[in-house]
Amino acid sequence: MEHTEFLDEVRDIIHKNHFSSSTEKSYLGWIYRFIIFNNKQDPRELGTREITKYLDDLTNKRNVSPSTRNQALNALTFLYNKVLNIPLDDFHSKHFKINKKLPTILTREEVQEILNDLQGEFRLMASLIYGSGLKLNECLRLRIRDINIEKEEIIVRDENNEMERKTLLPSLLIPRLSRQIQKISIQFEENKLIPGFAGTNLPEPVQNAHPDAAMEWDWQYLFPSGKPITENGSEKLLQHHVHENYLQKAVKEAVRHTGISKHVSCYTFRHSFATHLLEDGYCIETVQRLLGHKDIRNTMVYKQVLNNNKFTVRSPLDL
């Protein structure tokens, strides 16, 4: 079997497991490089010896980081366990331990300084990430149907539009959200007049099940890109959401303006959301649910940040 055909088979199984596009790209890349490393041999003819040799080569000759090596191991474990049905259970112990750095946290005052420097959509997007605990890509994927103003909640969905969780919608943002919805309503109506406009882009499962959804109002993005574009050689014009660089650059510039010396990214707002909730006395399980962490150990890192920033012992000088 040609390795390209084999990778198509792997890709199909990745899709069935509903992995993100970034995970798909990473897994396919590592599996391809593993095949090339072994002179394009069929992976069915290879085993633990060849995998170990490949991982050792990454570590000793290519000097990849522990996290990068673990990515390769995850991809190969998936290949053998899920695609080839050849269990590699003994490889779970071969992950390198990674000393994770504690996340950067902004004070409430620093958050407000940055938000005050942002304008329009930039401010609304950053406010949603901080106020609702969203990831950047979760904010970008928001559609009209995900915003429930009456219940003051946001539905967070994955790339296939499957609901992952619900989180809170800050009441302070409702007037701005209403204006944003009015603005994109006008843009949507104007786009309808463009020849070839076919609505918003949809995940493949939704497109197959509800082909008319692309032109329905509630499926439109909350933060659409400037204009619809063609894709995959089609003549249809589709409306995508804004690119992640759209907000990243604005936040970077706002941080520079404020003079804050911390390394701040869009993700820092999410970290700060979690830490500030814990500071306000909310339990760790509540924060875990709002962030969508499947493992509470991922949420516990904010307890560590909290403990690092807040001592329960008072200095004798203060007394």
Side-chain angles (χ1 to χ4, degrees), residues 6-21 23-24 27-28 78 82-83 85 158-160 162 204-205 208:
F6 180 75
L7 290 175
D8 287 339
E9 179 185 343
V10 175
R11 183 181 288 107
D12 289 340
I13 296 177
I14 289 176
H15 288 170
K16 290 177 182 177
N17 281 269
H18 305 295
F19 288 171
S20 68
S21 57
T23 300
E24 175 186 333
Y27 277 21
L28 290 174
F78 174 82
K82 300 294 185 180
V83 181
N85 294 316
D158 62 18
E159 290 188 339
N160 292 312
E162 298 289 335
E204 188 175 342
N208 294 336

Side-chain angles (χ1 to χ4, degrees), residues 106 108 111-112 115 118 122-136 138-139 142 152-154 156 165-174 176-177 247 266-277 280 282 286-287 290-291:
L106 295 167
R108 298 167 198 260
V111 169
Q112 197 58 56
L115 293 180
L118 295 167
F122 297 131
R123 179 165 184 167
L124 178 56
M125 294 172 74
S127 297
L128 279 171
I129 292 173
Y130 171 66
S132 305
L134 302 177
K135 299 175 184 176
L136 173 58
E138 290 173 343
C139 180
L142 287 176
E152 296 189 3
E153 69 179 22
I154 294 174
V156 181
R165 69 185 190 279
K166 293 181 180 179
T167 188
L168 50 87
L169 167 61
S171 56
L172 183 69
L173 297 182
I174 290 177
R176 294 180 191 171
L177 273 172
L247 181 60
C266 294
Y267 221 97
T268 308
F269 291 114
R270 175 174 157 93
H271 293 321
S272 302
F273 163 85
T275 307
H276 294 167
L277 284 181
D280 291 338
Y282 292 98
T286 297
V287 178
L290 292 174
L291 291 176

Side-chain angles (χ1 to χ4, degrees), residues 67-115:
S67 61
T68 300
R69 180 195 178 280
N70 287 346
Q71 287 177 6
L73 176 54
N74 289 338
L76 297 178
T77 302
F78 174 82
L79 170 65
Y80 280 87
N81 287 347
K82 300 294 185 180
V83 181
L84 303 178
N85 294 316
I86 303 173
L88 293 177
D89 296 333
D90 57 323
F91 269 77
H92 289 297
S93 61
K94 293 186 180 295
H95 281 86
F96 278 178
K97 290 185 178 180
I98 302 169
N99 294 322
K100 291 186 178 181
K101 295 181 180 179
L102 293 179
T104 299
I105 304 299
L106 295 167
T107 66
R108 298 167 198 260
E109 293 74 20
E110 288 170 337
V111 169
Q112 197 58 56
E113 282 185 64
I114 296 173
L115 293 180

